[in-house]
Each structure stands twice: as structure tokens, then as C-alpha cells.
């Protein structure tokens, strides 16, 4: 068996940011510590960038973009370089996976089997797609030609969360680079390391200097100046709804840059009267909430269940929760490591205590384990007026609510300010279609929890999303401008 602790002990962490193809310190020389949430140990000191570094990164991205060194390449040439990057990610899976597990507290098996392969897969998919897409010609009289073309938007800033650090970076840079843009990435301050390592691999793959810049630091010091910058053409953001909405203000108060936001969620699974195999449903839904410590935007943190299945589902969920393996993220058997930080632990515990005070029943869990571990938690008797029904907890905590009828179950699922994901269990094909349409969510899984695949658009309704989608060729829309070229053939 691979000894991940030994690999962790021998890792060298990247310590410099990437601007204009050069690894460097922050202009101020300042740093901040990034820690291992499993042990509390400092892993590395990372540059604490500020507005001066943002200026330098935007200038280098703009220069690269206008030079055509990347934006001016044939899509097939960009493809070759991005495929090389995907191969390098695959070759360095173990190193990247251990770094991710240490920095974010994510279970190593998930990092090795999901996060890192999906990062490579995403970059490869967009690289492969780009040279197979055609522009359009509009219907016109024979003496005119109306071309409808997509062009790269220019300088893109990507502001990232900490829950899937590399995968979210790939979701942004994959389509942004494939479509010919120059990009500035700002990783979450909790998880900067793998983003910087990916920068090294991108240079090795042949991404030209200035095309991919990576600057680390705090939201107000780096994220906000990027959001307000007059020479950034688009911001793509994944994170909380509160911060996401600020980018709309930054844009309105600067250059009306394009803004695409992937934000929070309070996704519901709905178990209809005709659903069968409750143990299977419980197993799927345990994964849908406990996976990645519940630190997953699409986590199904609510289950709305027809009263006929209510008791059975709660009993089966409890069985799942108590057998969920929590512990050391570097142990391959671990399913849940620690929460990402003590601040986040305080938020999760606080919301659970609110749930208890408001009268929800703790079936299992409901308390912290060792260190920053939070025990997988099932709440029953949750009603729509409770905070734990409405607010994103972003921890391994599921709220189960009883419905009197199928119609009421769908109505309860939609009673949320969020609309990212939903799951529907039924054996009736007509109900599957009808209710999948009725659920107000960007992705609906039927008889399975699903976020779709790299080929399908991902994003949210209501306060879960704004301005576009990640994944699929639909993601390319946020990184390109649509242009009409009208040619008068009589001229
Ligand atoms: P966050 O909003 O706190 O931080 C996200 C990023 O924004 C970080 O890089 C942070 O430094 C930056 N930031 C913070 N304050 C800022 C400011 N004032 N101005 C500009 N930038 C600022 O989110 P998080 O805690 O890192 O991630 C958790 C959240 O992300 C959850 O709500 C989760 O649902 C959401 N999320 C959504 C998706 C999705 O695709 N919809 C995916 C993953 C996570």
C-alpha cells in the first residue's frame, strides 16, 4: 500500500506566485501561513499579494493577450499544449493528491481517484473540444454575408474556493485557456499550494509566459482589486453567495466586466411515494451529503421524504452515518477528514446547535469529533421554518423533512433561496419527467445523485448562480464575446 505519510514528509511546497512567467514573492515581501487542518501544522508560507501584484498580473495577462502568443494561435496548437498539461497532471497525480489532502484536509483516496484525475480530464476535454467548434452564418439576402463569431474575451480573473481547489481551478482555466484568453487565478487563501504547483506544470507544458498567472492572498487584497480592475474583462467566481454578489457590485462600479458566479446551495433530495429500495436511497444520499465532509456546493443537505418512507429512510440513513469512516486524511480508508478550518468548524457547530434549539431531533452525530472532525449528522423532524432547512451548513449534516404528498415534497424542495442541484426518486417515468422539470435547480439527478459530467453544464438557479455555467461547451460562453460581422457584397 502506498505510504502517503512518507510522501507527505518528502514534499517540497511551492512558495512563489506566478506573474508573467516568473515565480516571485509578493511585491510587499509579505507572506501568510497555510496549515494542515488535520494536524494544525504550518505547511508553508505563501506570498500575501496585494493590489501591486494584481496590477503586475493584469498587465502581464493583457500584454500576452494582445501579443497573440496564445490568443492568436490555431486552436489545435493551443490544444497540443493543454493536452501536455493534462498529461503532466496525470504523471504527477500522487504528489498533487498528497498536497491537496494536506492543505484542504481532503481524504487521500478521493484526491487520487477523483480530484486529480478530474482536473486532468477537464483540461483535456476543453482542449479537445475547442478545435471542433464552428461559428455561424446568419440567414441573409444573397448580396450579404452575416458572420456570427465567438472571440476570446481577453483577460479573465478566476477567484476560487477551498473545497475542490484543483478541480475548481480546472473548471475555470480549462475553458478559459482553450478559448484563447489570458487568465489570472486567485486560489482560496486556505488552499494555495496545488494552484501554484499547477502553474509550474503549465509552464513546463508550454503555456506562454503571462497567459496563466497565479496570485495568492486574501479576498479583500487580491479578489476585490481583480473584481474592480478596469482592464479585467471577465471574472469567474466559485464560492459563497455573499462574496459572489460583491463581484456584481465591483463590476458595476468599475468597467461592467462580465461576471459568472457559482455560489452556495441547499440542495434537496425528494423521495416520492412510489420510490423503492430505501436502503439504496439511503446509501446514495449518505454519499450525497457526507462526501468531502459535506463541503460540497451540491451536497444534498435536505431530504424531503413522503411520509410512507420517512421512518425507514431515517433508520437507514443512521446506519450509513455511523459506518462512515472519519479520521486521518492520509489514510486510504478514510472517507471524511477534518473540516477545512477552525472558523468553519465554529460555523458548522453553531448551525447544528441552532437546529437543536429550534426543535429538530438529532438521530446521530450532532457534535464534533477529534480535532476538526465533525461527525456525520442526521437531523429528523426538520420543518421549513428552521434555519437548518434554509441555510447552507457546508458540513456533513443532513436535514430530513416529512412530506404529506408528492406535490408537497416538490413544493418544499423548491422552498429555498438556492437552486443548485436536486435529486428525485420515483419509479414512474411520467413523474420523473414532470417533477424533474418542476424542481428549480441547475442539475436534477433522477434515481441517482448527480452533478452531471464534464460534458454537461453546471450552475445554479436563484442565489446559487449568475451569468453562465461551468462545464460543457456552455462554459465557453462566459469566456468569449459574440461578434456579428456583416459584409455587404455590393460594396
Ligand atoms: P468564499 O466566498 O469565502 O471565498 C471564495 C473566494 O472569494 C476566495 O478565494 C476568497 O479569498 C475570495 N474572497 C473572499 N472575500 C472576498 C472579497 N471581499 N472580495 C473578493 N474576493 C473575496 O467561499 P469559500 O468559503 O472558499 O467556499 C465555500 C462556498 O463556495 C460555499 O458557499 C459553497 O457552496 C460554494 N461553492 C460553490 C460551488 C458552485 O459551483 N456553485 C462550488 C464549490 C463551492
Amino acid at each position: 500500500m502506498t505510504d502517503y505519510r512518507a510522501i507527505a514528509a518528502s514534499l517540497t511546497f511551492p512558495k512563489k506566485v506566478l506573474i508573467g512567467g516568473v515565480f516571485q514573492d509578493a511585491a510587499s515581501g509579505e507572506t501568510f501561513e497555510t496549515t494542515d487542518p488535520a494536524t494544525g501544522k504550518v505547511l508553508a508560507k505563501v506570498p500575501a499579494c496585494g493590489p501591486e501584484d494584481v496590477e503586475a498580473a493584469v498587465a502581464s495577462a493583457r500584454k500576452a493577450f494582445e501579443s497573440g502568443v496564445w490568443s492568436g494561435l490555431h486552436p489545435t496548437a493551443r490544444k497540443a499544449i493543454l493536452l501536455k498539461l493534462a498529461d503532466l497532471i496525470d504523471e504527477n497525480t500522487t504528489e498533487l493528491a498528497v498536497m491537496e489532502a494536506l492543505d484542504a484536509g481532503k481524504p487521500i483516496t478521493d484526491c487520487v481517484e477523483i480530484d486529480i484525475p478530474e482536473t486532468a480530464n477537464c483540461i483535456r476535454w476543453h482542449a479537445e473540444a475547442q478545435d471542433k467548434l464552428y461559428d455561424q452564418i446568419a440567414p441573409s439576402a444573397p448580396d450579404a454575408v452575416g458572420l456570427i463569431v465567438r472571440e476570446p474575451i481577453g483577460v479573465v480573473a478566476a477567484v476560487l474556493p477551498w473545497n475542490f481547489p484543483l478541480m475548481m481551478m480546472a473548471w475555470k482555466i480549462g475553458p478559459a485557456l482553450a478559448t484563447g484568453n489570458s487568465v489570472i487565478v486567485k486560489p482560496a487563501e486556505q488552499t494555495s499550494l496545488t494552484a501554484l504547483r499547477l502553474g509550474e506544470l503549465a509552464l513546463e507544458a508550454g503555456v506562454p509566459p503571462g497567459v496563466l498567472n497565479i496570485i495568492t492572498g486574501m479576498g479583500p487584497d487580491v479578489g476585490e482589486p481583480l473584481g474592480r480592475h478596469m482592464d479585467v474583462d471577465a471574472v469567474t467566481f466559485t464560492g459563497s453567495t455573499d462574496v459572489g454578489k460583491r463581484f456584481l457590485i465591483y463590476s458595476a462600479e468599475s468597467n461592467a466586466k462580465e461576471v459568472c458566479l457559482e455560489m452556495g446551495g441547499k440542495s434537496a433530495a425528494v423521495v416520492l411515494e412510489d420510490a423503492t429500495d430505501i436502503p439504496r436511497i439511503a446509501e446514495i444520499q449518505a454519499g450525497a451529503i457526507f462526501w468531502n465532509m459535506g463541503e460540497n456546493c451540491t451536497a444534498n443537505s435536505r431530504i424531503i421524504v413522503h411520509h410512507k418512507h420517512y421512518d425507514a429512510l431515517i433508520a437507514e440513513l443512521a446506519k450509513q452515518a455511523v459506518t462512515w469512516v472519519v479520521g486521518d486524511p492520509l489514510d486510504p480508508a478514510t472517507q471524511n477528514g477534518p473540516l477545512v478550518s477552525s472558523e468553519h468548524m465554529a460555523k458548522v457547530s453553531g448551525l447544528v446547535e441552532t437546529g437543536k434549539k429550534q426543535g429538530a431531533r438529532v438521530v446521530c452525530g450532532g457534535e464534533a469529533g477529534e480535532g476538526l472532525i465533525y461527525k456525520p449528522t442526521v437531523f429528523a423532524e426538520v420543518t421549513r421554518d428552521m434555519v437548518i432547512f434554509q441555510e447552507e451548513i457546508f458540513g456533513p449534516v443532513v436535514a430530513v423533512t416529512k412530506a404529506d404528498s408528492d406535490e408537497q415534497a416538490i413544493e418544499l424542495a423548491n422552498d429555498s433561496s438556492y437552486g443548485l442541484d436536486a435529486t428525485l426518486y420515483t419509479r414512474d417515468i411520467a413523474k420523473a419527467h414532470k417533477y424533474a422539470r418542476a424542481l428549480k435547480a441547475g442539475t436534477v439527478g433522477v434515481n441517482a445523485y448527480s452533478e452531471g459530467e464534464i460534458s454537461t453544464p453546471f450552475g445554479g438557479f436563484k442565489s446559487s448562480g449568475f451569468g453562465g455555467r461551468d462545464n460543457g461547451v456552455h462554459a465557453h460562453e462566459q469566456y468569449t464575446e459574440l461578434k456579428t460581422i456583416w459584409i455587404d457584397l455590393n460594396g
Side-chain angles (χ1 to χ4, degrees), residues 160 162 186 189 238-240 246 250 262-263 297 392 458:
L160 306 178
W162 44 259
K186 183 240 171 291
E189 55 273 24
T238 293
S240 63
R246 292 188 198 193
Y250 302 156
E262 299 293 353
M263 302 181 283
C297 55
E392 183 180 50
F458 178 93

Side-chain angles (χ1 to χ4, degrees), residues 186-237:
K186 183 240 171 291
E189 55 273 24
Q190 297 84 349
T191 54
S192 305
L193 297 177
T194 49
L196 296 175
R197 180 70 184 113
L198 196 68
E200 293 172 359
L201 297 178
L203 282 192
E204 191 182 334
V207 174
V211 170
L212 178 63
N213 304 276
I214 300 159
I215 47 178
T216 51
M218 302 301 138
D221 302 334
V222 181
E224 181 167 351
L226 283 169
R228 291 188 178 279
H229 205 288
M230 296 300 286
D231 206 24
V232 169
D233 300 298
V235 167
T236 180
F237 167 88

Side-chain angles (χ1 to χ4, degrees), residues 35-253:
T35 54
D36 174 352
T39 61
K41 276 196 197 141
V42 175
L43 294 169
K45 287 187 176 176
V46 178
C49 292
E52 220 180 310
D53 306 286
V54 169
E55 280 307 322
V58 174
S60 95
R62 173 61 59 195
K63 189 169 160 215
F65 184 75
E66 299 302 338
S67 76
V69 65
W70 183 253
S71 55
L73 290 184
H74 192 291
T76 305
R78 286 200 295 268
K79 174 173 83 172
I81 292 170
L82 292 175
L83 290 181
K84 171 85 177 136
L85 173 57
D87 289 345
L88 286 171
I89 293 166
D90 282 339
E91 284 165 28
N92 290 279
T93 295
T94 307
E95 180 204 348
L96 289 166
V98 174
M99 213 181 269
E100 198 83 311
L102 286 172
D103 211 9
K106 290 168 71 83
I108 186 67
T109 301
D110 287 349
C111 295
V112 170
E113 293 180 1
I114 302 170
D115 290 66
I116 311 307
E118 284 304 317
T119 298
N121 181 40
C122 173
I123 289 172
R124 191 172 280 125
W125 193 89
H126 288 287
E128 285 286 6
Q130 186 56 30
D131 68 351
K132 294 158 194 81
L133 297 175
Y134 293 79
D135 286 331
Q136 295 173 315
I137 298 178
S140 69
D143 61 353
V145 178
L147 302 175
I148 304 167
V149 299
R150 283 206 171 269
E151 297 181 346
I153 200 162
V155 173
V156 173
V159 180
L160 306 178
W162 44 259
N163 57 342
F164 293 93
L166 263 189
M167 220 154 82
M168 290 303 107
M169 181 169 172
W171 280 23
K172 309 300 190 187
I173 68 168
L177 290 176
T179 46
N181 298 282
S182 293
V183 183
I184 301 148
V185 172
K186 183 240 171 291
E189 55 273 24
Q190 297 84 349
T191 54
S192 305
L193 297 177
T194 49
L196 296 175
R197 180 70 184 113
L198 196 68
E200 293 172 359
L201 297 178
L203 282 192
E204 191 182 334
V207 174
V211 170
L212 178 63
N213 304 276
I214 300 159
I215 47 178
T216 51
M218 302 301 138
D221 302 334
V222 181
E224 181 167 351
L226 283 169
R228 291 188 178 279
H229 205 288
M230 296 300 286
D231 206 24
V232 169
D233 300 298
V235 167
T236 180
F237 167 88
T238 293
S240 63
T241 297
D242 283 350
V243 174
K245 284 179 180 168
R246 292 188 198 193
F247 280 93
L248 297 173
I249 297 170
Y250 302 156
S251 170
E253 291 180 353

Side-chain angles (χ1 to χ4, degrees), residues 187-390:
E189 55 273 24
Q190 297 84 349
T191 54
S192 305
L193 297 177
T194 49
L196 296 175
R197 180 70 184 113
L198 196 68
E200 293 172 359
L201 297 178
L203 282 192
E204 191 182 334
V207 174
V211 170
L212 178 63
N213 304 276
I214 300 159
I215 47 178
T216 51
M218 302 301 138
D221 302 334
V222 181
E224 181 167 351
L226 283 169
R228 291 188 178 279
H229 205 288
M230 296 300 286
D231 206 24
V232 169
D233 300 298
V235 167
T236 180
F237 167 88
T238 293
S240 63
T241 297
D242 283 350
V243 174
K245 284 179 180 168
R246 292 188 198 193
F247 280 93
L248 297 173
I249 297 170
Y250 302 156
S251 170
E253 291 180 353
S254 58
N255 59 345
K257 58 179 65 62
E258 300 292 328
V259 176
C260 183
L261 307 172
E262 299 293 353
M263 302 181 283
K266 191 72 190 173
S267 300
V270 180
V271 183
L272 298 185
E273 185 178 10
D274 71 345
T276 54
D277 203 348
I278 298 301
R280 173 181 175 269
I281 292 175
E283 189 183 347
I284 294 173
Q285 289 312 125
I289 180 62
F290 301 141
W291 180 59
N292 207 55
M293 292 69 76
E295 295 169 340
N296 178 14
C297 55
T298 57
N300 283 187
S301 51
R302 294 182 298 150
I303 303 180
I304 319 289
V305 53
H306 191 279
H307 64 86
K308 186 176 141 191
H309 302 301
Y310 183 76
D311 291 335
L313 184 67
I314 286 177
E316 290 296 333
L317 272 174
K319 279 190 210 162
Q320 293 288 331
V322 295
T323 52
W324 202 262
V325 183
V326 297
D328 176 4
L330 290 183
D331 179 342
T334 295
Q335 288 174 288
N336 269 19
L339 298 180
V340 74
S341 63
S342 47
E343 293 78 17
H344 192 52
M345 170 61 97
K347 181 190 159 189
V348 172
S349 318
L351 283 164
V352 168
E353 292 312 312
T354 303
K356 291 179 192 170
K357 276 192 205 115
Q358 290 190 320
R361 177 167 64 90
V362 176
V363 178
C364 54
E367 59 185 3
E370 230 177 277
L372 293 180
I373 300 268
Y374 203 86
K375 292 185 184 168
T377 297
V378 178
F379 266 118
E381 284 143 48
V382 177
T383 52
R384 71 170 90 211
D385 51 301
M386 291 181 185
V387 170
I388 58 167
F389 184 92
Q390 297 292 350

